[in-house]
Amino acid sequence: MRSTPVRKALLKILSKDQAPLSAFDILAKLHAQKLLANKTTVYRQLDSLEKQGLIHTVRLSDRSVRYELAGKDDHHHHLVCVKCNDVKDVDFENHLSRQEKNIEKSKKFKILRHSMEFFGLCFNCQ
Amino acid sequence: MRSTPVRKALLKILSKDQAPLSAFDILAKLHAQKLLANKTTVYRQLDSLEKQGLIHTVRLSDRSVRYELAGKDDHHHHLVCVKCNDVKDVDFENHLSRQEKNIEKSKKFKILRHSMEFFGLCFNCQ
DNA sequence: TTTATTAATGCAACAAAGTTGCAAATCATA
DNA sequence: TATGATTTGCAACTTTGTTGCATTAATAAA
Ligand SMILES: [Mn+2]
Ligand SMILES: [Mn+2]
Ligand SMILES: [Zn+2]
Ligand SMILES: [Zn+2]
């Protein structure tokens, strides 16, 4: 794993932004700072950073894909504003893990992971 | 809204299958019964049926999109088997609606809709 | 410091899943 | 059956990535 300009810039961009960014956003931000990376490179770096556990891929059910820096309290869910597209974190684990046990028993289904998102209007957009 | 062969066959296919189907699945099933419809037609019919409220589009966070017949007890969530791709319904509303109120208050976010899926192993695949 | 090694990059082509414009076919009804 | 609005097929296009391959560049070895 080498330390290249794209890799460094990419991590910096993700660490500055609190909301997860799309690959397109990231590419635009790189170009804005005169780092004219190719989209293939960006996708490959995102893959690589994900495999290293430095970032997480956020796949929302509206089919958009975004990337966020991995934190310590890792697993969480998102509030997605349908007007301005802002994304905020929200925690829900306690409530979910209790219910998952019920589901596993009643449905005879072994849950490995879940996804949950809330789509609506952020404070500014209401 | 006309009653065309594709439209009729499409509704019949969706009513036979309990698990939601992808556009590709549907196209394959149409072709299997010698109805050689074009993919554009299938997508347009799915759009139209969705607008009529006869079917629902299920957008999973793994980015797959499936279609299911609209029922009376409409809103629900899904258990998705990561091995055989089977999808089963699961209800979770009571638990969620209580928590959503907390979120709306504490995060000042107006929730319009949510999505939740559980990915794991169905009984047969465990 | 120079060289060698291997990862990272750019580019073009490809791919899956849809979408759109337009002309041709078909359904419904008068 | 003639008419007119819908539906359909087809080709081209879009978005979001992915892949092969030749070139460049970071780093470790000499
Ligand atoms: Mn997050
Ligand atoms: Mn369902
Ligand atoms: Zn907003
Ligand atoms: Zn299964």
Side-chain angles (χ1 to χ4, degrees):
Chain A
M1 192 98 302
R2 292 176 185 174
S3 170
T4 64
V6 175
R7 189 184 192 79
K8 279 184 281 185
L10 216 154
L11 281 171
K12 198 170 187 180
I13 286 169
L14 286 179
S15 65
K16 264 186 191 156
D17 236 288
Q18 64 298 351
L21 298 170
S22 70
F24 186 88
D25 290 340
I26 292 168
L27 196 57
K29 278 174 190 282
L30 287 172
H31 282 224
Q33 61 186 63
K34 306 283 182 235
L35 213 174
L36 307 178
N38 188 273
K39 67 170 180 167
T40 312
T41 304
V42 170
Y43 280 115
R44 287 200 275 230
Q45 279 296 344
L46 288 170
D47 273 4
S48 155
L49 289 168
E50 163 100 72
K51 269 175 199 133
Q52 303 290 306
L54 295 176
I55 67 171
H56 286 305
T57 305
V58 180
R59 296 172 181 277
L60 300 177
S61 69
D62 63 2
R63 311 207 72 197
S64 66
V65 179
R66 297 157 184 246
Y67 304 87
E68 66 183 358
L69 219 59
K72 24 227 91 238
D73 191 9
D74 248 3
H75 183 74
H76 59 270
H77 303 107
H78 292 103
L79 305 179
V80 184
C81 180
V82 297
K83 205 164 169 188
C84 72
N85 277 313
D86 185 46
V87 177
K88 287 232 173 346
D89 294 345
V90 65
D91 192 12
F92 215 79
E93 282 322 284
N94 295 336
H95 312 289
L96 261 183
S97 57
R98 220 184 317 137
Q99 296 308 322
E100 285 192 348
K101 289 196 187 74
N102 293 343
I103 291 176
E104 295 204 323
K105 201 176 289 175
S106 65
K107 301 281 182 177
K108 300 188 191 324
F109 186 92
K110 174 70 190 159
I111 296 175
L112 299 173
R113 62 190 169 83
H114 62 242
S115 84
M116 174 161 52
E117 305 123 37
F118 300 91
F119 295 88
L121 297 167
C122 74
F123 183 64
N124 291 327
C125 290
Q126 282 172 43
Chain B
M1 191 98 302
R2 291 178 187 171
S3 169
T4 63
V6 174
R7 188 184 192 79
K8 279 184 280 184
L10 217 154
L11 281 170
K12 197 169 188 178
I13 286 169
L14 286 178
S15 65
K16 265 186 189 155
D17 237 288
Q18 64 298 350
L21 299 169
S22 70
F24 185 88
D25 289 341
I26 292 168
L27 197 57
K29 279 175 190 282
L30 286 173
H31 281 225
Q33 62 185 63
K34 307 282 182 236
L35 213 174
L36 306 178
N38 188 272
K39 68 171 178 168
T40 311
T41 303
V42 170
Y43 281 116
R44 287 200 274 230
Q45 279 298 342
L46 289 170
D47 273 4
S48 155
L49 288 168
E50 164 99 71
K51 268 173 200 134
Q52 303 290 307
L54 295 176
I55 66 170
H56 286 306
T57 306
V58 180
R59 297 172 181 276
L60 301 177
S61 71
D62 64 2
R63 312 206 72 199
S64 66
V65 178
R66 298 157 186 245
Y67 304 87
E68 66 182 1
L69 218 60
K72 25 227 91 239
D73 192 8
D74 249 4
H75 183 76
H76 59 271
H77 303 105
H78 292 103
L79 305 179
V80 184
C81 180
V82 297
K83 207 165 168 185
C84 71
N85 277 312
D86 185 45
V87 177
K88 287 230 175 344
D89 294 345
V90 65
D91 191 13
F92 216 78
E93 283 320 286
N94 296 336
H95 312 292
L96 262 182
S97 57
R98 222 184 316 136
Q99 296 308 322
E100 284 191 349
K101 290 198 186 74
N102 293 341
I103 291 175
E104 295 204 324
K105 201 176 290 178
S106 66
K107 301 280 181 178
K108 300 188 192 322
F109 186 93
K110 175 67 190 163
I111 297 174
L112 299 174
R113 61 190 169 85
H114 62 243
S115 83
M116 175 163 50
E117 305 123 36
F118 300 92
F119 295 89
L121 296 168
C122 73
F123 183 65
N124 291 327
C125 290
Q126 282 173 45

